Amino acid sequence: MTDPGPLDGPAPIGRSARLDAAIGDLWSLMADDYGLLPDLALDALLARADRGELVAATPRLVELTVTQTLDVADAAAVVERFGGHGWEPAERVAVGEALDAWWLETLRRHPGEHPEPYRPEVVLGVIVGFGAPMVRWLGPWLDELDGPGAVHLSEVVLGGPDGLSGPAWTGKEDEARQVLAWARTEPVVTGLTLVGGVHLGDGMLGDVLDRLLG
């Protein structure tokens, strides 16, 4: 993947410029004739999707997902539906870009700035349902260790398997194990030690390294 470029600073509400652009691209590509789509609720959108109109419903489904409007279980089901659809290449790229932008925005928010319950570990569980290789989500996380991403990763490590559970992770136990195994790799341990530690609270780096290296 290419460098995503600058992202707006974190905020408790609102979207990054990259995510706004990705959603705008989805509307332009998939639903030029919006009609009532921008105002439809989830049930109505899924009914349209079940009638073969998933492509037209996707911009609104993505918008509901990334603005944390849906219950976590519903968001996870929507993204799994995206993962199982036979997209045209440009469409799949556009959906993936929106999920990439949401994930990066999530990583760059400081603890306490995420709309509950959409903390990083929950957002990751949702987007994993897209079916992309895990490196798509873990690579950007490694790049964000010199910032809030280090705190988010440390909390996941200390939370262990129980922290990667719940409705976002249902049926994704293998992916959860991959996250924790990745956290033990040399690039991640080195990144936490060299640049991530300054972002952690007193004693947190030691606790994380004990968990990773023990």
Side-chain angles (χ1 to χ4, degrees):
M1 291 183 291
T2 58
D3 187 334
L7 188 78
D8 287 353
I13 59 174
R15 297 194 295 248
S16 70
R18 180 181 174 186
L19 185 51
D20 265 333
I23 292 173
D25 288 345
L26 284 170
W27 282 110
S28 297
L29 179 65
M30 299 186 183
D32 268 338
D33 183 10
Y34 298 167
L36 297 175
L37 280 171
D39 301 316
L40 290 182
L42 178 64
D43 288 348
L45 289 164
L46 293 180
R48 296 277 294 263
D50 289 339
R51 294 199 300 268
E53 298 179 63
L54 176 61
V55 172
T58 289
R60 176 63 172 158
L61 286 170
V62 168
E63 202 164 39
L64 290 174
T65 300
V66 304
T67 54
Q68 298 90 27
T69 303
L70 305 178
D71 291 341
V72 171
D74 287 336
V78 165
V79 175
E80 286 183 24
R81 187 180 286 239
F82 294 157
H85 185 68
W87 301 99
E88 294 294 329
E91 294 170 347
R92 185 169 184 84
V93 167
V95 175
E97 165 61 13
L99 298 178
D100 288 339
W102 183 33
W103 177 228
L104 188 59
E105 178 184 89
T106 299
L107 289 174
R108 291 185 176 180
R109 290 186 189 276
H110 292 269
E113 294 180 336
H114 302 93
E116 288 292 339
Y118 282 91
R119 298 174 301 280
E121 66 273 18
V122 173
V123 173
L124 181 58
V126 170
I127 60 179
V128 160
F130 191 51
M134 290 297 291
V135 68
R136 179 170 193 148
W137 321 116
L138 301 181
W141 205 346
L142 181 61
D143 294 338
E144 293 298 320
L145 291 184
D146 191 8
V151 183
H152 305 324
L153 179 57
S154 297
E155 290 176 345
V156 165
V157 169
L158 294 176
D162 288 344
L164 300 178
S165 61
W169 287 96
T170 300
K172 303 166 187 170
E173 292 78 12
D174 181 64
E175 289 85 352
R177 286 190 290 269
Q178 289 183 55
V179 173
L180 296 176
W182 165 79
R184 295 177 179 271
T185 62
E186 183 177 353
V188 176
V189 173
T190 301
L192 281 173
T193 303
L194 295 182
V195 300
V198 299
H199 302 283
L200 306 182
D202 290 344
M204 191 175 191
L205 178 60
D207 292 341
V208 171
L209 293 178
D210 285 346
R211 182 68 63 89
L212 293 176
L213 302 176

